[in-house]
Amino acid sequence: MGEFGIGQAVKRKEDDTLIVGKGRYIDDMNEPNQAHGFVLRSPHANAKILSIDVSDAKGMDGVLAIYTGKDVEGIGPLPCAVDGMFEFKRRNGEKRFFPTHHVLVRSHVRHVGDPVAFVVAETRAQAKDAAEAVFVDYEILPSVTDTAAALAPDAPVIYADETDGNDAFLFTMGDAEAADAAFATAHKTVRFKHVNQRIVAASMEPRGCIGVYDAGSDRYTLHTNTQSVYRNRAICAEMLGIDESKVHVTCPEVGGSFGMKGMPYPEQPLVMFAAKNLGRPVKWYSDRSEAFLSDTQGRDLVIDAELALDSEGHFLAVRATSVGSMGAYASNFGPMILSVGSTRLLPGVYRVPQVYAEVEVSITNKVFTDAYRGAGRPEASYVIERLVDLAAREMNLSPIEIRRRNLIAAEQMPFSGPTGLVYDSGDFAKNLDDCLKAADWNGFDARRKEAAGRGRLRGIGMSVYIEATAGGVPETARIEVNADGSVMAYSGSLTQGQAHATTFAQIVADKLGTDYDRITVHQGDSDVLPQGGGAGGSRSGYSGGGAVLAGVEKVIDKARKIASHMLEAAEADIEFESGTFTIAGTDRTVSLADVAKGANDPANLPDGMEPGLSEDATYKSEASSFPNGCHIVEVEIDPDTGHTAIENYTVVDEFGVVLNPMIVHGQIHGGIVQGVGQALFEDTIYDDDSGQLVTGSFMDYCMPRALNMPSIKIDMNAVPCTTNSLGVKGAGEAGTTGATGAVINAVLDALAPAGVKHIEMPATPQRVWRAIQDAKAA
């Protein structure tokens, strides 16, 4: 293993650059003779465009071009990646309705922020000034932004000229009759209806891109901050109607994404189109206000769920009926996240014989939804963990006891659940027991009494969670050992802060025995490797890492052949350990560095072998991994103000083989804070009448700050994953998945003495105070 190998808390390679401000982001990048683009966006949620007059704007200083929908008809619409992966149908049996998503609108705008025109000028300020001079004559139409109300018979039909309603499709999962039968014979049932509110991604770095066109080679270069240079290459080429070989995509440092930068937006093909049209590079960079109106948003479901139990408190069935809003368009993975993503983990970590779920997806005059940290798994976990707490109160059982009676046991692994998932490994009971001990659950009553003496309401809550990470996505890598013994690791994956350069280097160091400091990891260039997957679904560790491991193993195999030739021994007699090849049973050795040096000389190579010590590899983990764990949260509430303070946060997670525990801790911290943000602070609010985004800036959209979080206590168990070569379970989204249920369960435990039985997220001071007052009045 070594000091810098797998499992070691090695400090991040990236930090020497990033912490001192030397990172290179899209806003730091500029091309010679570069022009700047600005997107004119709709001020209306739903309107017909009667005319667009650009004559005044075109004559303004520095303006190079103004493009409207009719000018870019050669650019195809943005595709929905999951269209075709699933047979989505509407409730009436018709094919799903996914509106066409043009890069610039043609005749109608469908949400505030819809792109109407693309202005290119010498400077961004000039482009922005000119955009204000573009006159658009709108016929304002009725809008609908409420997720469930969009399906009402009297709701204005957003695409009335194309379809007869705002229903995009209906998704069902499970056996409805079997679930109904279980509920009919149940001893007790509990029901939980709630809104899983819409969330803004709000990454530190906004989106941006630079388009470059080389007329000599008839080739485009796109610089953009993204989760996959290869997905951008494929989709932009498709939209521009050109071969992928004509597109080169690079990505510098990325200041966060959380799923939001997982796919191209209208701006990427627009800057490429404009660059060719104008014969010079074109840069577009979002500001924060623009991001609120144009970046994909997350969640947005109204869920009505039920749990059926027998007389001993064992779970019999879960039913859930939901409405989810995909916004004005079907984004890249959005339809799948609202449907499959929010339902397949409804059983959680429990033995639930029957599950039936329906999700009807509505079209609304809002920004389109897509992946946001967890992408459906936090929604499902929140449902089951809230139901379990409700059932505990109904059955007069403790939240611990009801969970213990229903947890899937370690000896039942692999466990085939009712939604088609097969959990390969895990010990959920151990996570629960360890977390109870670490959180001092038994000492809580004393802390509650002490808080009551200060006039505070103290509560404790838990969430025993599981999530499914992405499987079946091939990833690529190239491992190249240089003549001086240093190593280059090229990866098709792509970091947005997850420290791939560190963990991938640890894999190389562990398996090759190379000095960690002499390993360089390179990502974010579509010309380096022919294909790649990119980041998403918490798969980088085992998918990208698996490709790195496969590349290392191929390098060792080739190097062993060269070593046997150099040492004049049979290949079967060559052993490799800690960077050295040895003839078994002798002291005759040759180092990996010497082999790499010799590999460049054909005289040292077996007949027919290509010079150099470089190997490409592709790795595909067919199945998901299933990170799991237990969160326990303690809160204190001031009943006079409704303010909630998180006093203690304890986590026991299980991520299989952990490549770097320090980095995993960082991922857990970040995920938990985003879950706390949804539970207590964040809410994306649209005005019902005008469709305007009310929470359109950080003045109105509240995110958690450092002072809102205590020190998080983290422990980890390890049950290796059986479905990938490294034994890893993805960790990037697990914190978010477990957080919301634990926090709200704690809030409601604190409020129970006041008579409060339900509260919606976010549990803001106003909402908590109002719940207390309403309970008193009742």
Side-chain angles (χ1 to χ4, degrees), residues 413-415 422-426 624-626 719-723 729:
M413 299 295 177
F415 183 85
V422 179
Y423 301 165
D424 69 289
S425 59
S624 298
S625 75
F626 295 93
V719 182
C721 183
T722 64
T723 63
K729 298 177 184 179

Side-chain angles (χ1 to χ4, degrees), residues 590-777:
V590 62
S591 69
L592 177 65
D594 288 337
V595 171
K597 189 174 182 179
N600 292 311
D601 183 355
N604 292 319
L605 303 177
D607 291 342
M609 181 177 285
E610 291 288 328
L613 192 51
S614 176
E615 290 289 337
D616 286 11
T618 299
Y619 177 77
K620 182 179 180 182
S621 173
E622 294 293 345
S624 298
S625 75
F626 295 93
N628 58 88
C630 180
H631 291 216
I632 294 179
V633 179
E634 286 187 47
V635 301
E636 277 194 8
I637 295 174
D638 181 345
D640 295 327
T641 66
H643 178 264
T644 299
I646 298 177
E647 297 296 326
N648 295 314
Y649 205 118
T650 307
V651 185
V652 173
D653 283 312
E654 195 271 285
F655 297 128
V657 174
V658 174
L659 298 176
N660 185 314
M662 182 185 69
I663 288 171
V664 170
H665 279 213
Q667 289 291 300
I668 297 168
H669 287 164
I672 286 173
V673 171
Q674 285 183 269
V676 168
Q678 180 168 13
L680 298 180
F681 300 97
E682 301 180 49
D683 199 359
T684 309
I685 300 171
Y686 286 81
D687 180 74
D688 287 338
D689 295 326
S690 66
Q692 295 291 327
L693 178 61
V694 177
T695 53
S697 76
F698 290 147
M699 293 292 290
D700 309 291
Y701 187 89
C702 182
M703 293 201 299
R705 295 163 173 81
L707 59 84
N708 301 124
M709 294 299 302
S711 178
I712 301 171
K713 185 175 182 180
I714 300 173
D715 291 312
M716 287 188 282
N717 290 319
V719 182
C721 183
T722 64
T723 63
N724 63 73
S725 58
L726 285 163
V728 169
K729 298 177 184 179
E733 297 163 288
T736 311
T737 302
T740 51
V743 172
I744 295 299
N745 281 339
V747 168
L748 287 170
D749 183 62
L751 294 176
V756 177
K757 296 181 180 180
H758 173 72
I759 196 163
E760 292 284 4
M761 295 190 293
T764 60
Q766 180 187 28
R767 188 168 277 169
V768 170
W769 184 87
R770 176 51 59 195
I772 294 171
Q773 305 313 308
D774 289 347
K776 286 180 180 179

